[in-house]
Amino acid sequence: MTETEHSGFARYPLANVALGLLAAGPKHGYGLYRDFEEYFGSIWKAGQTKFYVALSSLLDEGYLDAELEPQENRPARKVYRLTDKGREEFLKWLHEPVYSMRAMRVEFIAKLRFFDLLGEPGAKELIDQEIALFGEMLDEWEAEKPEDPFYNLVNDYRIRQARAIVDWLEAVKQNL
Amino acid sequence: MTETEHSGFARYPLANVALGLLAAGPKHGYGLYRDFEEYFGSIWKAGQTKFYVALSSLLDEGYLDAELEPQENRPARKVYRLTDKGREEFLKWLHEPVYSMRAMRVEFIAKLRFFDLLGEPGAKELIDQEIALFGEMLDEWEAEKPEDPFYNLVNDYRIRQARAIVDWLEAVKQNL
DNA sequence: GGATTCATGTAAGAGGTTACATGATTAT
DNA sequence: ATAATCATGTAACCTCTTACATGAATCC
């Protein structure tokens, strides 16, 4: 999924979500978009067209295959199905921690949603990994004592954000 | 500065920084880029080319004007100067609060940097506005009691982030 | 009769990024 | 010698977004 470094979301926002929705079973584009709005609409807006574009590029790249399902009185549905490659990619993404605070807000929360939606095991493990990761970052940042007061400001900001994230992760774990 | 809604940074990342650096006095592109690296390098990376592109589009849009300053043994320097329009735009941006948590991390911190760098008054007022804004958001979010446990997770996440921001803002105010 | 739902895309555009182009001077 | 600094851009590229295209069925 052309990962520049970590996180495919930055570049292909909807790709992994589309894969995940298809992990529950084959479905056509319109239905997937409905699912997307239902399950992710509260944290994520995307136009219908965007969704179709994402699906068709996933098809081109071999993450999906598709079959036309004719209907009476309506345009044929194009039913997508995960290929092995697609399922593998999705599971890899799902179980992989995110490495930035920015990615927490949407990407990590989306992962949690999928664990719940699909009944996939491993949520607790992922949370623990995430806590460990942010814990390490915190240790590093807290060890820095910058002389530059401006940099100190910046450092203090991210320390507080990271602490809030770790606290939240602990709470999520309790609530699992 | 073509603001879609709030925040020019999302669209034209470097434009306001370039304007701000010129608020201290006219300077040529290369010198501005050095300043940028010195004052913002710790929170913000951008290639040199990008900076030149930003400057030349600011020139086209009338926020700057420029004058060639010939040199011996070196290419002529193109010295940029803020126009009235440019200075106005910069000050408007500087004193305007940011409306999202995402914009805090870089854009708001950049504003603080400029208050300090330029000795411009109003930093405390801006911080107070920001505290008020995030306080309102907090009140709203805390009043929500979502039935959907997933949405509750999301809500809890942003509440914690917003609290961390307000705490940080209070600390910054003390340290002013 | 009008709005919403169902159902699919294409193709152009907007915006941002970066590889490339150029070349003298000075510091190591 | 060679690396870094000084000094400036253009033009192609890449990615993403969205305006547009199409049209029947059903709900109010």
Side-chain angles (χ1 to χ4, degrees):
Chain A
M1 203 123 284
T2 29
E3 54 245 18
T4 321
E5 333 159 23
H6 299 301
S7 144
F9 260 131
R11 290 172 96 70
Y12 295 106
L14 286 157
N16 288 305
V17 174
L19 292 181
L21 291 172
L22 280 164
K27 208 162 204 174
H28 63 294
Y30 189 81
L32 287 168
Y33 182 67
R34 307 247 90 192
D35 289 351
F36 167 71
E37 285 196 315
E38 182 181 348
Y39 299 127
F40 295 91
S42 57
I43 47 160
W44 195 310
K45 311 287 173 194
Q48 199 188 12
T49 307
K50 235 162 153 175
F51 212 80
Y52 279 109
V53 171
L55 285 169
S56 87
S57 75
L58 285 169
L59 185 66
D60 290 345
E61 293 158 24
Y63 295 103
L64 307 178
D65 54 29
E67 198 180 332
L68 279 179
E69 186 186 279
Q71 296 184 103
E72 281 171 38
N73 304 331
R74 290 211 176 276
R77 288 173 166 174
K78 191 167 183 179
V79 177
Y80 292 97
R81 182 193 322 270
L82 280 185
T83 59
D84 289 344
K85 182 183 173 189
R87 181 170 305 272
E88 205 181 301
E89 174 63 36
F90 171 69
L91 289 173
K92 189 182 138 242
W93 169 79
L94 184 65
H95 290 280
E96 196 175 51
V98 304
Y99 293 87
S100 73
M101 298 197 272
R102 197 203 46 184
M104 269 280 137
R105 194 171 56 198
V106 176
E107 189 171 357
F108 180 75
I109 289 177
K111 289 182 197 220
L112 289 182
R113 183 57 141 183
F114 277 122
F115 277 111
D116 186 41
L117 237 49
L118 301 170
E120 174 79 12
K124 189 186 162 297
E125 287 70 21
L126 183 65
I127 294 172
D128 284 333
Q129 277 183 71
E130 217 70 78
I131 291 172
L133 270 171
F134 282 100
E136 276 169 46
M137 288 188 212
L138 263 173
D139 291 344
E140 249 178 73
W141 295 338
E142 281 167 344
E144 287 182 29
K145 293 274 170 247
E147 304 217 350
D148 177 8
F150 176 67
Y151 187 71
N152 200 44
L153 214 76
V154 176
N155 201 39
D156 188 34
Y157 181 81
R158 60 187 190 182
I159 286 172
R160 286 168 188 269
Q161 293 286 298
R163 278 204 203 113
I165 285 174
V166 172
D167 291 348
W168 175 77
L169 285 165
E170 299 283 5
V172 172
K173 203 166 79 167
Q174 297 312 310
N175 252 331
L176 220 64
Chain B
M1 203 122 284
T2 31
E3 56 245 17
T4 320
E5 333 160 21
H6 300 299
S7 140
F9 259 132
R11 291 170 96 71
Y12 295 106
L14 287 158
N16 288 304
V17 175
L19 292 180
L21 291 173
L22 280 165
K27 209 164 204 174
H28 64 294
Y30 189 80
L32 287 167
Y33 182 66
R34 306 248 91 189
D35 289 351
F36 167 70
E37 285 194 316
E38 183 181 347
Y39 299 127
F40 295 92
S42 58
I43 48 161
W44 195 310
K45 310 286 173 196
Q48 200 187 10
T49 308
K50 234 165 156 174
F51 211 81
Y52 280 109
V53 171
L55 285 169
S56 87
S57 77
L58 285 168
L59 184 67
D60 291 346
E61 293 158 24
Y63 295 104
L64 307 179
D65 53 31
E67 198 179 332
L68 279 180
E69 185 186 280
Q71 296 184 105
E72 280 172 38
N73 303 331
R74 289 211 176 277
R77 287 172 166 173
K78 193 166 181 178
V79 177
Y80 291 96
R81 182 193 320 270
L82 280 186
T83 60
D84 289 346
K85 184 182 172 191
R87 181 170 304 272
E88 205 182 301
E89 176 61 35
F90 171 69
L91 289 173
K92 189 183 138 241
W93 169 78
L94 184 65
H95 289 280
E96 195 176 52
V98 304
Y99 292 88
S100 73
M101 299 198 271
R102 196 203 46 182
M104 268 281 137
R105 195 172 53 197
V106 176
E107 189 171 358
F108 180 74
I109 289 177
K111 289 181 197 223
L112 289 182
R113 183 56 143 182
F114 277 122
F115 277 112
D116 185 40
L117 239 47
L118 301 171
E120 173 79 12
K124 190 185 162 297
E125 287 70 22
L126 183 66
I127 294 172
D128 284 334
Q129 276 183 71
E130 217 70 77
I131 290 172
L133 269 170
F134 282 100
E136 276 170 44
M137 287 187 211
L138 263 172
D139 290 345
E140 251 178 71
W141 295 339
E142 281 168 344
E144 287 181 28
K145 292 274 170 245
E147 305 218 348
D148 177 7
F150 175 68
Y151 187 71
N152 200 45
L153 216 73
V154 176
N155 201 39
D156 188 31
Y157 181 80
R158 59 186 191 183
I159 286 171
R160 287 168 188 267
Q161 293 286 300
R163 278 203 204 115
I165 285 175
V166 172
D167 291 347
W168 175 76
L169 285 165
E170 299 283 6
V172 172
K173 204 166 76 167
Q174 297 313 311
N175 253 330
L176 219 63

